[in-house]
Amino acid sequence: MPLLDIKDLNVSIGGKPILRSIALSVAPGEILGLVGESGSGKSMTLLSAMRLLPANAEATGQITLDGDDLTKKSERAMCAVRGERIGMIFQEPMTALNPVQTIGAQVAEMFVQHRRMNARDAVKAASEQLAKVGLSADRAPPNRYPHQLSGGQRQRVVIAMATALAPKLLLADEPTTALDVTTQAGILELLKSLARRDGAGLVFVTHDLAVVAGLADRIAIMKDGAIVEEGPAPAIFRTMQHPYSIVLRTAATLPARAPRAPLTEAPIAEAKDISIVYRARGLFGGKKETVAVDGVSLTLAPGEIVGVVGESGSGKSTLARALLGVQPLTKGRIAIGGDDPAQARGPALRAIRKRIQVVFQDPYGSLNPRHRVERVVSEPLHLAGRLSAQERRQRVETMLQRVGLAASDADRYPHAFSGGQRQRIAIARALILEPKVIVLDEAVSALDVTIRAQIIELLRDLSDRLGLAYLFITHDLSVVRALADRVLVMQNGKVVKEGRTAEVFAAPKHPYTSALLAASPDLEAALRAREETKS
């Protein structure tokens, strides 16, 4: 008998169908990969199993856990099921964790609420549970708060809470999307070991086929609220027939950029031996120094694309802020078009800022939802001097068309667009001043795989047509392979490897570079490994 069995599940919100005839099952110890793009219904399926649908949702069908029909349980009865029999791992740990409670207290709450333990026993059990997920007291003491941990450590706390009571079913909703590759590899291995060790069923939701190819026993692919294809891994990759499944697989394997001859023009942007040290006063006096960037040098030629890779905390984003002129340097010099932004004032500084623009990771957060697209895209034009309303409108429409949108989109609000379209709007805003350099900070990491492929193709085209130089910051090595001419590998604020992308990836010499490449999800490599293990 299946551990989780979903039959003919239909969900609608406000009369709009969200899930259509969903049928899924998970056996004890089995890992099911639930794959699809944003809006396909993956998360709503998990919320249905947890009975956490929005108040205005209407659901029909049957959901059983060990033969027990969850759809017939009261809310009080479901409170006993959640945590005890079903554990949920959410995508963003900072929103799943209470920022004003220690991590030990939050894990201990599971034992107090469900096992009626006293405070002392609960704290002890919480410490043991944190140690099981790799957070021993010497690495992450239970008295720390979520903001004092790294992203990977916070996700381990969420996993500790979800597995504290050894539930028979684990639901993981995009638990590694925002993590760097080595942290992601550790979390995936942890979840896999928990499922195998405890015999728990695991439903792993993701939009990345490369991730589930090496993890899941079975894979179900969702589109528009329905399951369009399902089968055992890795066999499903050989038998895919649905057009959407084939599109997902194609988008998951980004083709490497053809090598270009090294550019010999004078650099449009350069950093010379820059260091950035953060200084803070300690709680009990004294000063604490953190070296974020340590003696880094780089150059960007016109039209060149340089990728910067490394784990969280390696100094990538701090380096980007320094190039943008918003992060003071402790040592070294930066030049944009030959001019130092730290020394420029007034008109000279505005001229420098016109040469370099930025595209952020999250198009939801970087676009003002109260403003129409025309105003959002035209914001940087204050650096271009006085322009008439007609001139501003014309420039906005030109930029929207340049990134593949319609001129009429200028009159709509950001919420009316998909995630990929919003990122195109952000790119249009960066282009409006016709800069020479664009800094892209994790600009595709939050996008679905098909949208990611479209944005990468757009960025290539814009660079080739307009001679744009990019500093592309990411933790996704497949994106760097597909886009960058050169790559810088950063660790602990230093550049540990630099070179032509193909050469660095083909023969990594530094141990850290090798570790990054080994941890980076690769669909074809994962399938080969599964086939070799099977044979």
Side-chain angles (χ1 to χ4, degrees):
M1 183 175 68
L3 173 64
L4 174 69
D5 195 13
I6 300 176
K7 294 179 180 178
D8 195 28
L9 175 64
N10 293 273
V11 174
S12 62
I13 298 178
K16 179 182 179 181
I18 304 298
L19 298 180
R20 297 181 287 115
S21 302
I22 299 296
L24 284 175
S25 64
V26 183
E30 183 182 33
I31 301 175
L32 171 68
L34 194 55
V35 182
E37 296 183 288
S38 299
S40 61
K42 308 183 305 295
S43 297
M44 198 63 69
T45 301
L46 298 195
L47 293 175
S48 298
M50 292 285 284
R51 293 276 308 277
L52 291 174
L53 290 171
N56 61 339
E58 296 181 1
T60 61
Q62 187 179 56
I63 303 172
T64 59
L65 181 66
D66 264 340
D68 193 5
D69 192 344
L70 300 182
T71 61
K72 295 180 179 178
K73 287 187 175 294
S74 66
E75 176 60 20
R76 183 181 181 86
M78 281 303 302
C79 286
V81 172
R82 300 178 193 123
E84 181 76 42
R85 299 172 62 190
I86 305 178
M88 182 84 173
I89 303 167
F90 296 95
Q91 176 177 353
E92 178 46 63
M94 276 304 282
T95 57
L97 296 174
N98 189 327
V100 297
Q101 276 193 322
T102 65
I103 60 173
Q106 295 186 63
V107 178
E109 187 177 7
M110 301 295 295
F111 297 101
V112 172
Q113 291 294 325
H114 289 272
R115 298 291 167 81
R116 303 303 178 190
M117 284 188 182
N118 60 48
R120 175 181 290 184
D121 290 342
V123 168
K124 182 181 178 182
S127 297
E128 293 172 352
Q129 179 64 15
L130 287 168
K132 286 181 183 179
V133 298
L135 294 178
S136 57
D138 58 330
R139 292 186 58 193
N143 62 355
R144 284 192 178 175
Y145 289 87
H147 72 271
Q148 296 175 305
L149 305 179
S150 68
Q153 288 175 323
R154 285 194 288 264
Q155 194 61 284
R156 287 175 183 266
V157 175
V158 174
I159 293 171
M161 294 172 66
T163 60
L165 306 178
K168 290 298 183 181
L169 178 65
L170 284 174
L171 307 177
D173 189 5
E174 299 271 14
T176 62
T177 299
L179 304 179
D180 53 61
V181 290
T182 52
T183 303
Q184 173 178 260
I187 294 298
L188 292 176
E189 189 57 39
L190 172 63
L191 289 173
K192 189 173 183 178
S193 66
L194 289 171
R196 302 300 190 226
R197 184 192 70 196
D198 299 335
L202 171 62
V203 181
F204 189 95
V205 163
T206 183
H207 62 252
D208 194 338
L209 279 174
V211 169
V212 294
L215 177 72
D217 301 308
R218 284 190 303 116
I219 294 174
I221 299 173
M222 292 190 71
K223 177 177 172 58
D224 298 332
I227 295 173
V228 298
E229 200 149 10
E230 182 181 1
I236 188 173
F237 291 96
R238 296 193 303 267
T239 61
M240 280 181 174
Q241 295 181 345
H242 195 280
Y244 180 69
S245 303
I246 296 170
V247 166
L248 277 185
R249 170 159 186 172
T250 302
T253 307
L254 296 170
R257 182 178 182 123
R260 299 193 295 178
L263 299 171
T264 57
E265 296 181 59
I268 186 64
E270 58 183 328
K272 293 184 178 179
D273 193 29
I274 67 169
S275 293
I276 297 170
V277 179
Y278 294 126
R279 296 183 174 90
R281 188 172 297 279
L283 184 62
F284 301 104
K287 293 183 178 180
K288 180 182 178 181
E289 292 190 349
T290 301
V291 181
V293 174
D294 190 0
V296 170
S297 297
L298 69 85
T299 60
L300 263 176
E304 186 179 30
I305 301 175
V306 174
V308 182
V309 300
E311 297 174 295
S312 299
S314 61
K316 308 186 302 295
S317 294
T318 304
L319 173 63
R321 289 196 298 271
L323 278 178
L324 290 165
V326 296
Q327 174 62 59
L329 304 181
T330 305
K331 177 187 174 186
R333 181 178 182 272
I334 284 175
I336 308 296
D339 298 320
D340 185 349
Q343 304 298 323
R345 299 290 184 274
L349 181 58
R350 288 193 292 272
I352 293 173
R353 287 177 173 166
K354 286 175 62 177
R355 299 171 198 159
I356 183 167
Q357 291 292 301
V358 61
V359 177
F360 297 102
Q361 175 178 355
D362 182 12
Y364 294 87
S366 63
L367 305 180
N368 192 323
R370 295 184 177 183
H371 294 166
R372 296 182 190 272
V373 167
E374 178 180 2
R375 180 169 175 180
V376 168
V377 174
S378 65
E379 279 178 340
L381 287 178
H382 71 277
L383 295 172
R386 292 184 178 274
L387 295 174
S388 68
Q390 183 178 356
E391 289 173 319
R392 294 171 70 91
R393 176 72 181 203
Q394 186 174 4
R395 285 206 189 188
V396 169
E397 291 182 352
T398 299
M399 290 305 145
L400 290 175
Q401 292 171 329
R402 188 167 283 176
V403 299
L405 297 174
S408 59
D409 287 335
D411 297 319
R412 301 166 69 190
Y413 288 93
H415 72 265
F417 297 87
S418 69
Q421 289 173 320
R422 276 190 284 261
Q423 197 61 295
R424 288 174 184 264
I425 294 169
I427 294 170
R429 180 174 60 184
L431 289 173
I432 195 79
L433 290 172
E434 300 181 350
K436 300 298 182 183
V437 181
I438 295 182
V439 176
L440 299 112
D441 192 357
E442 299 281 10
V444 298
S445 65
L447 302 179
D448 295 319
V449 286
T450 56
I451 304 300
R452 180 187 68 174
Q454 293 171 17
I455 295 298
I456 288 172
E457 186 59 36
L458 171 66
L459 292 172
R460 282 175 176 166
D461 178 62
L462 291 172
S463 178
D464 292 341
R465 284 194 293 115
L466 305 178
L468 285 170
Y470 299 143
L471 185 73
F472 199 96
I473 293 168
T474 183
H475 61 251
D476 190 335
L477 273 66
S478 65
V479 171
V480 173
R481 184 186 283 110
L483 192 63
D485 300 301
R486 288 191 297 119
V487 60
L488 276 68
V489 181
M490 292 191 69
Q491 182 185 29
N492 298 328
K494 295 178 179 289
V495 174
V496 298
K497 182 64 178 177
E498 178 180 2
R500 307 289 296 175
T501 303
E503 295 171 3
V504 171
F505 282 22
K509 296 179 181 180
H510 193 278
Y512 181 67
T513 308
S514 299
L516 284 180
L517 287 168
S520 183
D522 183 281
L523 178 56
E524 299 303 327
L527 293 177
R528 285 195 301 270
R530 294 288 292 270
E531 293 288 0
E532 290 170 2
T533 302
K534 187 177 179 180
S535 61

